[in-house]
Structure formats: C-alpha cells, structure tokens
Amino acid sequence: MRTKSSRSLVNPLALALVAIPLMIGSAWAAVEKGHDQADVKYQAGSSPLGDVKMHQNIDPKAPKMTQAEFETGKKIYFERCAGCHGVLRKGATGKALTPEITLDKGTDYLKVFIAYGSPAGMPNWGTSGDLNDQEVDLMARYIQQVPPIPPEFSKKDMLATWKVTVPVDKRPTKKMNSYNISNIFSTTLRDSGEVALIDGDTKKIINIVKTGYAVHISRTSASGRYLYVIGRDARINLIDLWMEKPDSVAELKTGLEARSIETSKYKGFEDKYAIAGDYWPPQFVLMKGDTLEPLKVVSTRGMTVDNEYHPEPRVASIVASHYRPEFVVNAKETGKIMLVDYQDIDNLKITTLDGAKFLHDGGLDSTGRYFLVAANASNKIAIVDTKTGKMAAIVEVGKTPHPGRGANFTHPKFGPVWATSHLGDETISMIGTDPIKHKAEAWKVVDTVKGQGGGSLFIKTHPKSKNLWVDTPLNPDEKLSQSVAVFDINGLGKGYEVLPIAEWANISDGAKRIVQPEYNKAGDEVWFSVWSAKDKQSAIVVVDDKTRKLKAVIKDPKLITPTGKFNVNNTQHDIY
C-alpha cells in the first residue's frame, strides 16, 4: 500500500529505471516484520559528523545542489546512512554509494530506491515517513555528489582540547567519601550528554557528570579508582571516584566520532595508560591514565582480511589483556585484530591477527585469557588467546551477533561456555571455552536455544547467578522490546520466562525499550534501563535475581534516556 506522501515519487520513468523488482508492498513488509529491521536500525545510528564543516566538491556531472541543500543532505546522511554505508560512502554493512555508482543509476532510480527500500535490508525511508518527498529528492541528488571528507584529527588537535581540571597533586590521596564505590553504576544518559553515577546500595543519584554525546561505554581502571567514559563525539571524561563528590578531573577529544575506551590492567601497569578507539578519523590513541595526555596516535587504515585496501576501518571495541601488557584493538571494516604492546610507547609493537568482518563488540571468557569478539557481518565470533597472542578459532554463530561483553557460565552438560545473543535472529549461541578439561567442546557452538525474538543488544549473567538474561530492545514488536527473557542456566531447554519490565516501571507513554541487564556487585540484583525518547519519562528497574520479582524503580527527571549501565566492580574485574 502506498502512502499519500509517497505517490508523487513514483512515475513511469522512475519505475522503468528500476533494475530490480521493488515488490513495494509485500517485500518490504517481510523485511519490516523480520529481524533485518533491527539490524538496520542499529547500524543506521546517528553520527556526530553531520555537524562537522566539510568542503563541497562540485562535480559538473552531478545534479545541481545549493550549498544549503548540500549541508542538509550531509546532515541527513550522517544521521541516517553513514553507519551502514560509511563516512566516505565506500560501503560497510551497506553497499558503496560513490558517484561512479550513483551517477549511473540517476536521480529517478535513486528516489524510488530511497523511498521504498529493498528486501535486502535498505530501509524504506520515504514510505515509512522518516523522509518526506523533498528530502528523498534531496538525498537522491546528494549521493551523486563527491563525498565530503571530514577533517583529520591530529595529536596537535587533541592537545587543543585537553583539560586537566583537577591536577594529580590536587586530588585526594585516599577515598574521601562514604560510598561503596565498587557498587556504583555509571549510567549513560544518552540524549543529554551525561552520565549518572548511581549508588547501587541506596539507589540514589550521587552525581550527574556532563560528558560527550551518547556515551557509548564506561570502563573502570585496574585499581577501581578512575572511571573512563567516551561519547560518540570522541570526548573522554576521566572521573575520580575518590573525591568527596565523584566528578570529572580531566577531558580530551581524540577525534570527531568514537565508540571505545579502555585502561591498562596488566600487573605493574595498573592505571598507567588509557586507550581510545575512533570511528573518525580511523585511529586509536594512547594516553596517560591519570591525566588523558595524548601520547601516541596510530592509524588503522590498511588492508582487510580479504586483502583489499579500506580507507575507513573504525575501531569498534578494545579490551585490556590480563596476561600481557597489551590492548586488544578491533578494526571493524578490515576484520583485523591488533595486539598493542604498551611497554614502550615510543617504540610501539603491534601484532596483527586476521579475524573476520565486521568486528564489533565482545568480551573475555571466565578465565580472562580468551577474548571473543563478534564479526557481525560474517555471523561469526573470532577468538583470541591473549596469553599466546594468537587466534584460537573463528566460530560461526547466528545472524548478526551482538553480545555486548557476552555471558560466561557453566553449562550443565558442556562445561564453561561464553554466550551471545543476536540482532538478526532469536537464537542464543553458546561456545565452549575450556580447551583443557572440555577439549572436545572447546571453540564450538555446543548449544543453541531460542529467545523471544531478534533485535537483542545484550546478554548477561553473573558467577553467583543461575539466570541468563536476554534483552530485545530493537525488536519491532513492542511486546518484545518492552520486556526481557530470562533462562534457568540449569534448564536451558525448558525455555524462558518473560518479565514485563516496562509495565513494572509504571510509565504512561513512550517507547519504553528495555536495554542492557547489568548486575550489582553482589550478583543478587539485575538493573534494566527503560529507554524512551528525550521528551518522555524513562526509568531504571531493579529486579531480584533469585526471585525474579520487582525490587525497585528508580525515577528522576534527570534520568534522560538511560541506556548502558556499568557496575564499577564488574567492569573493573571483567565479570559478565
């Protein structure tokens, strides 16, 4: 069925130019009802590069655009398209959209394609109402222009943003507050550009710290004193938890867009270094751990695992090895895993391993030796032995794995496993992680169960728990996105129980997507974010892990779009 707003986009010329059947009604409906929609929605997340000044290179072959139209097109592209097609439009999850391709297609073809999408996963931006007729026309002309290139971001640029608001010699020499620091939750307030530090014991907000936009992750230093948070705009804040009122003591921008940060944890290097990974420019940055002073900038541009050059390998995730003085850095588009030896920053040694495309998020196994990372475009998990510095295996799993850090537990039949849920299907895959006592099961999918649906972003358990929690915030069905599935680890084949977390929050309206289960230090509570729009009420729901009953609801006008929550103790010790 065509919407009223889309009819003017379709004309005989446009339809004649379409080289593939659009199947306007039924084909996109199939995608929309399936799990591809969740993957597309996730990959198409907004980028802060839309507001960055870039040069317009006018191609005489391209359709005419005014400077104002070009700026509007650029903003829409980085809000809707860059996550899939790349900053330079060279292709990533989505196909390349460079002028040598788009000019041949022409404006009419592109308007139809943008408006109606495709069964392969391209969203129907026009018929969904996300873009109006004028915006569809504008984007059809925009992607025929020469892609604007964002500026680079050098060490000099970083130093211009570097601020140490509380020098090291002015900071406390001992803990100056009565908080149970190890049970604080660093909670991302996505759309307000803040993190809320919440006392896990009292459920009260300790402080709200102004940070970069949409903090992607919080990481705790090896000592547990410092908290590192990084926004999508590549702004890092260093928070000192020893202060009377924990707050930011230093900040730095490492680029224009970023996702990952980590801190050194190997014996003898505790709290000494930090590392941040950028989406743009494609690079990672080594810093001093107590001040964020940038020390070394390393580009990730280079060859893919398929031996093709890629100009934009975004750094998606980083973990610190407990077995070597190394950071494990994952370059998304190349599928390369870099083991960065930080013993000598001036003479940096990097070991590069071949993983698979496109590397995203992951975590360590229960021993802390093996790192398992999702290669979500390949439907695989790449496994690194951080003790030997070599690949242990690459394992095929379900569609578009998205484990967060994953979940470690002892399977009643197969021994120690690490589990991932998926964006693209309802399965939960369990990989054996004990090559000594369970050699036959090691580095294989030993068990698979079905959850309530695709669109999952996080899976979680705790060493003291017998529960396995799986969220589905990006599933298009509200019943699934507003609830959570929980399995009994000792009876995985018996299925799951659904808990109505959004209903328990008692919020009148809003999306109320339930995202990221996170345990407290004791492992007897699970916290869930109830994530609605910026202008709607959100909340955090706390569930008793043993009884699976509601324990508390945290509501506050300052809790704007809470998403990720990171317990200090669990993050410090890589417990998940």
Side-chain angles (χ1 to χ4, degrees), residues 228 262-264 272-276 285-289 292 327:
Y228 301 79
E262 182 59 293
T263 171
S264 54
K272 186 171 184 179
Y273 295 119
I275 182 173
V285 183
L286 292 156
M287 301 158 280
K288 286 186 178 180
L292 301 182
F327 292 118

Side-chain angles (χ1 to χ4, degrees), residues 15 17-25 27-28 109 112-113 116-120:
L15 292 175
L17 290 170
V18 177
I20 58 172
L22 287 173
M23 303 181 193
I24 291 167
W28 180 253
Y109 172 96
V112 174
F113 196 73
Y116 292 105
S118 82

Side-chain angles (χ1 to χ4, degrees), residues 162-173 225-226 238 240 243 248-251 290-292:
W162 179 43
K163 300 175 184 176
V164 180
T165 50
V166 182
V168 175
D169 61 359
K170 301 294 183 183
R171 296 176 197 169
T173 56
R225 173 178 182 171
Y226 289 116
L238 173 62
D240 187 352
M243 296 172 68
S248 180
V249 294
E251 66 179 69
D290 57 358
T291 65
L292 301 182

